[in-house]
Amino acid sequence: MLIPRWLLSDRAGLVLLAVLAILGIGVPILSLWTPPDHPLHLSAYTVTLLGKYLCYALLAVAVDLVWGYMGILSLGHAAFFALGGYCFGMYLMRQIGTRGVYGDPVLPDFMVFLNWKELPWYWYGFDHFSFALLMVLVVPGLLAFVFGWFAFRSRVSGVYLSIITQALTYALMLAFFRNEMGFGGNNGLTDFKDVLGYPIHDDGTRIVLFILSILALAGGYLLCRWLVSTRMGRVLVAIRDAEDRARFLGYRVEQVKVLVFTLSAMLAGIAGALYVPQVGIINPGEFAPINSIEAVIWVAVGGRGTLVGAVVGAVLINYAKSWLTGALPEVWLFALGGLFVAVTLLLPRGLIGLLRPRETTT
Amino acid sequence: MSELISDLDGGGLSLPQKPVDTRHGILLYLEEVTVSFDGFKAIDNLSLYIGDGELRCIIGPNGAGKTTMMDIITGKTKPDSGRVFFGQNIDLLKLDEPAIARIGIGRKFQRPTVIEPLTVIENLELAMSGAKRLRGLMTTRLNSEERDRIAAVLERIGLSEHGGRLAGILAHGQKQWLEIGMLLMQEPRLLLVDEPVAGMTPAEMDRTAELLRSLAGSHSVVVVEHDMGFVRSIADYVTVLHQGRVLAEGQLEDLQIDPTVIEVYLGAGDAYH
């Protein structure tokens, strides 16, 4: 059979994949092959904005995997997103070469400005695209693995774990703000010129990045959907709902948690790596605790433990954010908070819950 | 990373490969076990032996140490001193909870603990021994042998009609049976069953008694229970725990006329009838 059964029974997922396919074909056509004055023409700005939403959606899927299925409320997932972004940003910085303000062939502008004479060791290798891609997975994955190893082994869970994840992202934010860290401090990494030789601001490059974002989201979704439909998925639910039961059935709960948490962090890293070339900047603000909390709200609004809900929530809330921060900037945080409260009280199963008949559980 | 996966794969150091040795007819040894919490001795020099294939009831007032004893056997609590062996050869104090579960000790909690959003069959699948290796977890389907095993357990616990229903909508008694069924899927040598009939109707209690009796022989079964009528209906050999120690052991009829047992029970009020 062409479509495996685990996917065939996932109607909402098939709809999502169909929508992504339509976007993947439609957006390039409307952007590249329609004249700029055509009513359906999509500007480069719109394409970039859509691409950004897709990256957020992948981050939301990563959050839903650990929160919705395994019950780990991570309030620090934006850290993994930002680390993936920094890794790819470092590659983009090295591509600038002599075109920087100071024209140094090796050192990025901010290092010249700080009077640094040579590249710090941890910047080595980032001039290679493939090495940078590898690091996009390795750095967030390694951090998640080490963090999870200690936190889960010590059986830290529930609200305590959430607080530690929040502290993790906050600590990283403070560290990355420091110039001495060698990641551009306050300003972060920006002024990118090209990626793999293609000018980063070209319409064609933007379309390619957009299509890659679609593929990453579709791939990330399929991976998570497959995982939760296997026996492993049932183990995750058991850990979420009755951790001791899972343990006394013979499952090494801590190891499952570490593995899935690491996988989720890697997905978040990929999302961050695609985000940076599209928005053109990565700075320590991406580590801000509010970013991680927002990602959790996307998932809650869309419907946790559904994966599709995470995508829906991320896109809708970010669309609302784009619109509202333009129209009424001071209202946004109140609207977000109000929305979270309203969804928690009125729609505990999120927007996706409206579409699915309630299963009769007591 | 590879070490982690091999451990998850069931080949970890903490998993003894040797089969349990019960040549002396004893499956579980607890010897001079003591554990205290903040100076309070929850278990005080407790020695207890469970025979291979035996059905043993353990009774005792609240705080007698029944649940703590189960925690020690299953690796949740490590005692301050004493020896806990599975057969003659497996030192349970060296193993953690998952390893103890995998060598064949199943535990049913006091409150029925099933995975409510999953179906009855999925709950049993989750508990199936052999499915816990990483490769086994990466599949979405059951093979025919696994399906047969699940069907056999469903039949045994009387839930054949309910395989496709969500565990969360089962009646209280059915949840208890499902949890016992999950234990059976682990193919354990020893079942530890904590208050299986709490909250059950008399008809459900009869069926549970029948189920537990049918398990003895091929399994050792340890039942902790408050309900004297139920204890009478399943076990002839009973251990009375009191203040972390064995107060008395023997036939239920003899214990019921034992003055020390009567004193403990009268002192504990009328919650145990």
Side-chain angles (χ1 to χ4, degrees):
Chain A
M1 194 159 42
L2 200 63
I3 305 176
R5 203 169 52 174
W6 57 265
L7 184 57
L8 209 57
S9 58
D10 172 30
R11 292 243 179 91
L14 289 173
V15 171
L16 172 72
L17 294 173
V19 169
L20 289 178
I22 291 167
L23 281 176
I25 296 164
V27 167
I29 291 175
L30 293 181
S31 167
L32 293 181
W33 290 293
T34 53
D37 54 353
H38 191 277
L40 288 176
H41 176 75
L42 292 174
S43 66
Y45 171 77
T46 312
V47 173
T48 304
L49 198 64
L50 290 173
K52 207 171 98 172
Y53 294 166
L54 294 172
C55 296
Y56 286 146
L58 181 55
L59 171 62
V61 167
V63 170
D64 196 22
L65 180 65
V66 291
W67 185 35
Y69 288 90
M70 204 165 55
I72 293 174
L73 175 56
S74 167
L75 293 180
H77 249 56
F80 305 122
F81 180 88
L83 285 173
Y86 264 98
C87 286
F88 200 69
M90 287 162 81
Y91 162 75
L92 295 173
M93 288 306 273
R94 295 297 311 271
Q95 295 307 296
I96 297 172
T98 54
R99 286 168 293 175
V101 177
Y102 298 106
D104 191 296
V106 176
L107 296 186
D109 277 348
F110 71 88
M111 291 188 191
V112 180
F113 186 75
L114 288 172
N115 244 330
W116 290 15
K117 296 299 174 215
E118 51 187 87
L119 204 63
W121 62 267
Y122 46 83
W123 276 74
Y124 292 169
F126 277 95
D127 47 335
H128 298 291
F129 183 75
S130 50
F131 179 80
L133 277 195
L134 186 66
M135 288 301 118
V136 160
L137 294 174
V138 168
V139 173
L142 194 66
L143 176 69
F145 184 81
V146 171
F147 174 86
W149 182 268
F150 286 108
F152 301 139
R153 290 244 142 184
S154 317
R155 301 213 177 157
V156 178
S157 60
V159 68
Y160 300 100
L161 189 86
S162 301
I163 291 169
I164 298 179
T165 57
Q166 181 96 105
L168 174 76
T169 193
Y170 191 65
L172 283 168
M173 180 180 76
L174 295 181
F176 275 71
F177 263 126
R178 292 162 50 87
N179 284 328
E180 296 82 355
M181 278 286 281
F183 297 107
N186 204 7
N187 299 319
L189 310 176
T190 188
D191 258 342
F192 309 132
K193 304 293 185 209
D194 50 32
V195 50
L196 282 176
Y198 298 99
I200 206 157
H201 297 297
D202 260 23
D203 285 355
T205 313
R206 284 178 182 279
I207 288 294
V208 170
L209 287 169
F210 175 81
I211 291 173
L212 287 175
S213 304
I214 287 205
L215 292 176
L217 176 58
Y221 174 81
L222 285 170
L223 178 67
C224 293
R225 170 60 63 201
W226 170 75
L227 187 70
V228 301
S229 66
T230 62
R231 278 181 193 159
M232 182 65 123
R234 261 93 82 185
V235 176
L236 299 187
V237 172
I239 290 173
R240 179 190 71 192
D241 289 355
E243 187 171 322
D244 263 344
R245 180 71 278 166
R247 194 171 278 129
F248 287 118
L249 286 177
Y251 289 102
R252 298 203 176 277
V253 169
E254 290 73 28
Q255 291 178 5
V256 174
K257 281 184 177 176
V258 171
L259 274 182
V260 175
F261 194 67
T262 303
L263 174 70
S264 169
M266 288 175 161
L267 288 175
I270 294 172
L274 282 161
Y275 172 85
V276 167
Q278 297 188 76
V279 300
I281 183 168
I282 174 83
N283 64 31
E286 296 295 339
F287 286 105
I290 180 74
N291 287 20
S292 297
I293 294 171
E294 275 192 34
V296 165
I297 296 178
W298 306 335
V299 175
V301 168
R304 70 178 168 131
T306 62
L307 296 178
V308 175
V311 174
V312 171
V315 172
L316 283 185
I317 294 184
N318 279 293
Y319 177 73
K321 184 180 183 178
S322 302
W323 174 72
L324 209 61
T325 48
L328 293 162
E330 64 279 12
V331 175
W332 168 242
L333 279 179
F334 292 102
L336 186 68
L339 185 67
F340 187 48
V341 172
V343 165
T344 308
L345 291 177
L346 304 173
L347 288 177
R349 300 192 314 137
L351 293 172
I352 289 290
L354 290 174
L355 301 177
R356 292 186 185 171
R358 178 174 292 273
E359 285 133 11
T360 40
T361 39
T362 46
Chain B
M1 196 76 174
S2 66
E3 186 192 85
L4 175 90
I5 287 174
S6 74
D7 199 15
L8 208 125
D9 227 22
L13 294 171
S14 54
L15 229 179
Q17 301 299 317
K18 50 194 175 182
V20 52
D21 174 3
T22 55
R23 266 175 302 172
H24 290 223
I26 304 287
L27 183 62
L28 181 72
Y29 298 78
L30 278 94
E31 286 175 334
E32 295 162 22
V33 174
T34 297
V35 63
S36 51
F37 302 116
D38 299 325
F40 168 72
K41 282 192 173 167
I43 297 286
D44 184 8
N45 206 19
L46 173 74
S47 294
L48 188 71
Y49 305 91
I50 305 293
D52 196 12
E54 182 185 354
L55 172 55
R56 174 80 64 94
C57 274
I58 295 184
I59 60 174
N62 278 329
K66 304 184 296 287
T67 300
T68 308
M69 184 195 76
M70 291 220 182
D71 285 347
I72 290 170
I73 298 169
T74 53
K76 192 176 186 186
T77 300
K78 294 291 172 199
D80 303 331
S81 62
R83 291 173 300 283
V84 184
F85 271 78
F86 193 48
Q88 293 174 70
N89 55 336
I90 300 175
D91 185 352
L92 292 180
L93 298 183
K94 291 198 177 125
L95 304 179
D96 63 357
E97 297 110 311
I100 290 174
R102 288 182 195 189
I103 59 169
I105 297 182
R107 176 176 186 179
K108 205 201 89 53
F109 295 108
Q110 196 168 336
R111 202 168 57 88
T113 311
V114 296
I115 315 303
E116 306 218 334
L118 301 181
T119 66
V120 169
I121 286 176
E122 284 171 336
N123 267 279
L124 294 175
E125 179 193 7
L126 191 67
M128 188 158 47
S129 68
K132 283 153 205 159
R133 283 131 210 260
L134 194 58
R135 206 178 312 145
L137 287 174
M138 292 300 141
T139 172
T140 56
R141 293 181 194 205
L142 292 165
N143 64 36
S144 63
E145 187 242 326
E146 293 168 336
R147 221 167 298 160
D148 291 346
R149 273 179 62 196
I150 288 176
V153 169
L154 274 177
E155 170 114 39
R156 189 146 203 185
I157 57 176
L159 294 179
S160 294
E161 317 273 284
H162 305 286
R165 296 177 77 195
L166 293 182
I169 60 174
L170 295 179
H172 174 81
Q174 292 173 320
K175 283 184 189 169
Q176 299 274 34
W177 296 331
L178 173 57
E179 198 180 358
I180 292 174
M182 291 166 77
L183 262 52
L184 293 178
M185 291 305 296
Q186 291 178 259
E187 298 185 326
R189 288 290 292 271
L190 172 66
L191 289 120
L192 303 172
V193 188
D194 202 350
E195 295 199 28
V197 296
M200 277 191 179
T201 64
E204 287 174 333
M205 280 167 69
D206 288 347
R207 288 200 54 184
T208 307
E210 200 182 309
L211 175 61
L212 291 175
R213 270 200 311 265
S214 77
L215 295 176
S218 51
H219 310 74
S220 297
V221 184
V222 174
V223 180
V224 164
E225 188 48 69
H226 277 330
D227 190 296
M228 277 302 188
F230 181 73
V231 170
R232 193 173 299 118
S233 71
I234 57 168
D236 47 11
Y237 205 74
V238 175
T239 298
V240 184
L241 281 194
H242 180 53
Q243 293 177 347
R245 267 172 298 186
V246 175
L247 182 74
E249 248 176 2
Q251 310 292 326
L252 188 62
E253 304 88 75
D254 301 336
L255 292 176
Q256 281 177 316
I257 51 171
D258 184 319
T260 50
V261 174
I262 291 170
E263 193 194 320
V264 163
Y265 268 81
L266 288 179
D270 57 1
Y272 307 103
H273 299 295

